Amino acid sequence: MLIRHIPHSSQLIPADFRDQYLITQDQLDFQRLRLTDWYTDDLFADEDTDELIFPISRLVCDPERFLDDNQEPAAKVGMGVLYTHGTEGQLIRRLDLQLRHELMKRFYEPHHQKLTEMIAENLCKSGRCLVLDCHSFPQDPLPTDNQNSGDRPDICLGFDSYHCPEILVAEIKQALSNEGFNVSLNTPYAGSMIPQDYFLKNKAVWGLMVELNRKIYMNEADGTKLGTYSDVKASIHKHVIQRIKDFMGAL
């Protein structure tokens, strides 16, 4: 009934791809620090629901980008499905068609196929499924962000009305707000991950993206957890994961 999709928590850059990068190890480590959705595999953990974690760093391949760079806005700054540029706009990697093909076949396509299959299995079991798209974001905007100034929320909920009941989003927003979090809807990030086989085709497939501002649970300078970490994790489980399960179970 619920699939927790975690695309950006891995820091792994397989050794056979390391020589594609044009930057030093320290520079690469900084890019990982800046771009990894730190601890989202733990913050959104739940023993009773399905989970799909992308196994490698988004610096190698980003499963939440469109394959076609002409469809992917982030490709304009070199951060499409395969990143060629870093967080300062610098060139970090050179690619060729052979490498692109290898990465798509080895990582991108199997991941999307697995997610599609997991949704189908859940639909067979219960007639509906929600993909919870689990992310985090830095307090200072990335080059790919539309919001380049001003205050950023503690938590952003991304959805569209076709694939997620607005009453569920409103309940989650209110519950998190009651805990003292500043919660926004579809800003600075909008929508959620729905595989193409179901996108705008099947209303039984729901999707909700939850983006956590890293400042509320970690030190962004070194990646260490703050004292607030356990409270944030508990709030996410109670007011997001459990609320989704209760809402869907009552239908």
Side-chain angles (χ1 to χ4, degrees):
M1 188 181 302
L2 172 61
I3 300 170
R4 291 167 293 109
H5 180 236
I6 303 168
H8 296 152
S9 67
S10 177
Q11 301 177 56
L12 175 64
I13 297 178
D16 49 332
F17 294 110
R18 176 62 182 89
D19 63 358
Q20 304 296 324
Y21 294 89
L22 307 174
I23 54 179
T24 67
Q25 187 61 49
D26 285 346
Q27 291 169 333
L28 186 58
D29 288 343
F30 177 77
Q31 293 303 306
R32 278 194 288 204
L33 176 63
R34 188 89 167 107
L35 290 167
T36 299
D37 283 1
W38 287 84
Y39 308 119
T40 47
D41 53 339
D42 181 62
L43 287 163
F44 290 89
D46 181 62
E47 295 180 354
D48 301 324
T49 53
D50 293 334
E51 176 180 81
L52 181 61
I53 300 178
F54 194 58
I56 60 170
S57 170
R58 66 193 297 188
L59 280 160
V60 181
C61 177
D62 192 331
E64 292 225 338
R65 303 290 200 238
F66 287 112
L67 277 175
D68 185 351
D69 284 345
N70 292 321
Q71 295 181 284
E72 178 51 62
K76 295 177 182 178
V77 293
M79 300 177 80
V81 63
L82 302 179
Y83 293 13
T84 56
H85 290 70
T87 55
E88 288 79 41
Q90 76 278 33
L91 182 68
I92 63 171
R93 183 190 194 190
R94 287 197 177 93
L95 299 169
D96 56 37
L97 290 178
Q98 181 178 348
L99 178 61
R100 179 184 179 90
H101 179 76
E102 180 182 354
L103 287 166
M104 296 306 100
K105 291 295 182 182
R106 184 170 164 184
F107 298 111
Y108 187 97
E109 292 176 9
H111 182 80
H112 280 260
Q113 181 61 34
K114 179 61 176 176
L115 180 58
T116 300
E117 291 173 355
M118 291 175 72
I119 291 172
E121 291 170 3
N122 276 268
L123 290 176
C124 287
K125 291 178 183 177
S126 62
R128 63 182 64 88
C129 177
L130 187 145
V131 179
L132 181 62
D133 208 17
C134 308
H135 292 265
S136 71
F137 63 94
Q139 172 62 10
D140 295 328
L142 296 170
T144 51
D145 292 340
N146 293 324
Q147 182 193 49
N148 291 317
S149 61
D151 292 335
R152 285 156 74 84
D154 296 327
I155 300 174
C156 167
L157 304 178
F159 70 101
D160 69 71
S161 57
Y162 185 97
H163 281 291
C164 193
E166 294 189 33
I167 186 172
L168 173 60
V169 178
E171 287 183 8
I172 292 173
K173 182 179 187 294
Q174 187 61 57
L176 291 170
S177 297
N178 290 344
E179 292 283 339
F181 295 108
N182 176 10
V183 184
S184 68
L185 301 180
N186 284 328
T187 182
Y189 307 99
S192 64
M193 175 69 176
I194 302 290
Q196 288 298 311
D197 285 3
Y198 299 105
F199 183 61
L200 299 181
K201 299 174 185 175
N202 190 332
K203 286 205 169 199
V205 179
W206 297 353
L208 176 66
M209 178 176 67
V210 178
E211 292 261 8
L212 306 178
N213 192 324
R214 292 174 204 146
K215 73 172 185 179
I216 69 174
Y217 69 85
M218 64 173 276
N219 183 332
E220 292 190 70
D222 61 15
T224 57
K225 298 175 183 177
L226 297 178
T228 55
Y229 183 92
S230 60
D231 289 337
V232 171
K233 180 178 177 178
S235 292
I236 293 302
H237 191 274
K238 179 179 180 180
H239 298 304
V240 178
I241 295 173
Q242 190 60 51
R243 193 169 291 269
I244 290 171
K245 291 194 289 188
D246 291 345
F247 185 90
M248 298 185 77
L251 296 176

